[in-house]
Amino acid sequence: MIIGLLGKANVGKSTFFNSATDLFVQVANFPFTTIEPNIGIAFVRVNCVCKEMSILDNPVNSKCINGFRFIPIKLVDIAGLVPGAHSGRGLGNKFLDDARQADVLIHVVDISGSTDEEGKPVSMGSGNPLSDIEFVENEFDLWIRSLILKDWDKVVKESENLKQRIEYTISKRLSGLSINEKVVRDSMNTVGLIKKPLDWNENDLLLLCKQIRLLSKPIIIAANKADLLPSSVSSSDQNISKLKTLNRVFFPCVSEAELLLKRALQKNLIYYLPGDSDFEIKNSDNLSPKQLDALGMVSKVLKKFDSTGVQKILNYACFNILNNIVVYPVEDEFKFTDKKGNVLPDARIVSKDTTARDLANLIHKELGQGFLYAIDARSKQRIGAEHVLKNNDIIKIVSTTSRN
Ligand SMILES: Nc1nc2c(ncn2[C@@H]2O[C@H](COP(=O)(O)OP(=O)(O)OP(=O)(O)O)[C@@H](O)[C@H]2O)c(=O)[nH]1
Ligand SMILES: [Mg+2]
């Protein structure tokens, strides 16, 4: 599963990326700091079943801290964009190629309004995050349209000659984006595109692309830099109220605060689990006044928003938008171990409709080919190939290839 970070230049995409991964990429207060995409491992946080089963786990594929399991996912930090990127402005639309593989996009927005459309720093409140959202999404749609429009007339005539459905032709053009024929057909129906493809104008195609994007690349908004609040009238808060009127999924976010917490954690200065609503300083004598100040800012953020937002957004993308669940494959249904004796070694993110056989195939193709049945390790009951798994299931697969 891949999550992409999308947004205007200089809004904090790389700060979000650094705060969620163990990598460190360049962050600076000017546009186009990031040019090449950064790919890293971030984590979603779930309650591990070890807590509920009152056993001590010994994870192999992920960390478990105090009963919270941190399961790896891929995060991609993409170069920022400016209006007109689809036609080559700024860094052009190269960045969008990097967004191709993403299953879901986090749209990082400067909710404090301290950057203009080009990403240049401006006085707080003069930037307009709502129009940023509109232009970034529009650039994305225009980019999809540019992929379809290449040699459009020729392609449509050819596909008419070959008696191919237009949705098939379009989906082939968009296959790099994992967009299938059904998505294109459903989108055509939604926007009511019934005239002959040769009569479609650019606006018809733009509406179609918008719909295709809505169906295939869901977007969550990270209302970042939410810490920048003037003491009296809070422009950030005003913008958050405006954002609510859009009826979109969004979370206030302070990726800089999450980054500070991660750095303090790496230096062993604090107790903090990503996603927590609080942290604790181990020994304030070890902290410089500057560090204490920075952590003071973080405390204010946590008090106001209950978290920095980073973990919440990653979890929401994985579980609420993509509808995933977590299952725990084991080899021994009594001890919940793998062959080496590791307890609850793997926590796997799978989609909600995953069957026992799908899980076997995901673990290993051969395990799926020789699938006999599975065992629900909690109840010790056998389950069949087509049984749909539930969140937190602990599953043993019995297969002809796993008997020896
Ligand atoms: N106050 C505040 N500043 C932030 C926050 N997140 C990022 N910034 C600052 O915003 C500036 C831009 O951050 P980057 O992470 O480089 O932004 P980007 O979106 O990756 O920028 P490009 O790569 O140039 O598109 C830096 O000065 C960051 O320190 C935040 O949550 N609060
Ligand atoms: Mg960057």
Side-chain angles (χ1 to χ4, degrees), residues 132-198:
D132 290 347
I133 292 174
E134 207 179 302
F135 99 70
V136 167
E137 291 183 352
N138 202 38
E139 286 300 326
F140 200 90
D141 301 337
L142 288 166
W143 171 65
I144 300 179
R145 189 180 69 175
S146 71
L147 300 176
I148 299 177
L149 267 180
K150 220 169 150 240
D151 303 323
W152 175 245
D153 286 355
K154 196 174 128 214
V155 171
V156 172
K157 277 181 196 140
E158 262 175 28
S159 78
E160 274 181 1
N161 288 342
L162 292 168
K163 300 206 178 334
Q164 279 169 346
R165 289 179 303 276
I166 192 64
E167 51 267 45
Y168 171 80
T169 310
I170 293 177
S171 68
K172 269 189 77 181
R173 301 216 124 192
L174 301 179
S175 59
L177 281 137
S178 321
I179 289 167
N180 60 31
E181 205 179 324
K182 183 175 182 307
V183 167
V184 179
R185 192 178 321 118
D186 289 350
S187 302
M188 283 167 57
N189 288 340
T190 307
V191 298
L193 213 42
I194 43 172
K195 53 188 173 184
K196 277 175 68 182
L198 271 178

Side-chain angles (χ1 to χ4, degrees), residues 40-319:
I41 301 295
F43 300 88
V44 287
R45 165 182 164 156
V46 297
N47 288 320
C48 181
V49 290
C50 72
K51 226 179 193 174
E52 173 203 338
M53 310 293 287
S54 300
I55 47 177
L56 280 180
D57 60 358
N58 184 15
V60 175
N61 82 334
S62 49
K63 289 179 280 188
C64 184
I65 308 169
N66 301 337
F68 294 106
R69 193 94 169 203
F70 289 87
I71 311 173
I73 51 159
K74 246 190 212 164
L75 188 65
V76 189
D77 171 31
I78 302 163
L81 62 153
V82 294
H86 73 280
S87 57
R89 284 198 68 234
L91 292 180
N93 59 15
K94 187 194 129 344
F95 66 91
L96 286 170
D97 266 354
D98 304 324
R100 267 175 201 268
Q101 300 303 322
D103 300 297
V104 52
L105 294 163
I106 296 172
H107 182 170
V108 184
V109 172
D110 175 353
I111 198 68
S112 72
S114 54
T115 39
D116 68 10
E117 278 198 335
E118 312 281 319
K120 292 191 204 92
V122 290
S123 63
M124 202 165 47
S126 34
N128 184 344
L130 264 71
S131 67
D132 290 347
I133 292 174
E134 207 179 302
F135 99 70
V136 167
E137 291 183 352
N138 202 38
E139 286 300 326
F140 200 90
D141 301 337
L142 288 166
W143 171 65
I144 300 179
R145 189 180 69 175
S146 71
L147 300 176
I148 299 177
L149 267 180
K150 220 169 150 240
D151 303 323
W152 175 245
D153 286 355
K154 196 174 128 214
V155 171
V156 172
K157 277 181 196 140
E158 262 175 28
S159 78
E160 274 181 1
N161 288 342
L162 292 168
K163 300 206 178 334
Q164 279 169 346
R165 289 179 303 276
I166 192 64
E167 51 267 45
Y168 171 80
T169 310
I170 293 177
S171 68
K172 269 189 77 181
R173 301 216 124 192
L174 301 179
S175 59
L177 281 137
S178 321
I179 289 167
N180 60 31
E181 205 179 324
K182 183 175 182 307
V183 167
V184 179
R185 192 178 321 118
D186 289 350
S187 302
M188 283 167 57
N189 288 340
T190 307
V191 298
L193 213 42
I194 43 172
K195 53 188 173 184
K196 277 175 68 182
L198 271 178
D199 296 334
W200 294 0
N201 60 33
E202 294 203 346
N203 198 44
D204 293 329
L205 266 170
L206 186 59
L207 288 176
L208 177 66
C209 292
K210 207 170 266 307
Q211 191 56 36
I212 289 176
R213 188 248 307 155
L214 284 171
L215 289 183
S216 58
K217 299 280 166 194
I219 294 179
I220 310 174
I221 295 166
N224 195 38
K225 305 195 189 182
D227 56 310
L228 294 179
L229 307 175
S231 48
S232 50
V233 186
S234 143
S235 75
S236 190
D237 284 352
Q238 280 181 5
N239 283 337
I240 283 180
S241 310
K242 283 188 205 155
L243 202 50
K244 281 185 187 152
T245 63
L246 289 186
N247 240 341
R248 301 279 305 269
V249 179
F250 80 91
F251 294 94
C253 175
V254 186
S255 44
E256 191 140 283
E258 184 70 17
L259 188 57
L260 283 166
L261 287 167
K262 289 286 171 61
R263 287 202 186 136
L265 201 58
Q266 277 157 4
K267 291 185 182 144
N268 205 18
L269 298 173
I270 56 166
Y271 298 103
Y272 172 68
L273 269 188
D276 273 359
S277 57
D278 209 353
F279 68 94
E280 199 186 318
I281 294 175
K282 285 193 174 170
N283 181 354
S284 51
D285 296 344
N286 295 337
L287 296 173
S288 68
K290 214 173 142 194
Q291 286 172 320
L292 277 171
D293 258 11
L295 289 173
M297 177 284 269
V298 176
S299 279
K300 277 191 199 148
V301 164
L302 294 179
K303 264 202 194 93
K304 175 154 188 188
F305 298 110
D306 201 36
S307 85
T308 67
V310 170
Q311 189 66 62
K312 231 185 227 173
I313 292 167
L314 293 171
N315 268 46
Y316 197 90
C318 177
F319 298 112

Side-chain angles (χ1 to χ4, degrees), residues 371-395:
F371 184 95
L372 295 171
Y373 57 92
I375 297 173
D376 177 335
R378 289 164 192 267
S379 63
K380 312 288 182 272
Q381 277 181 354
R382 276 190 187 201
I383 53 183
E386 303 315 319
H387 178 95
V388 176
L389 304 179
K390 299 187 306 297
N391 191 40
N392 285 344
D393 269 352
I394 307 170
I395 300 289

Side-chain angles (χ1 to χ4, degrees), residues 8-16 26-34 77-80 224-228 253-257:
K8 186 179 78 171
N10 209 13
V11 289
K13 298 177 295 299
S14 297
T15 308
F16 189 110
Q26 204 190 343
V27 164
N29 193 16
F30 49 78
F32 306 127
T33 307
T34 307
D77 171 31
I78 302 163
N224 195 38
K225 305 195 189 182
D227 56 310
L228 294 179
C253 175
V254 186
S255 44
E256 191 140 283

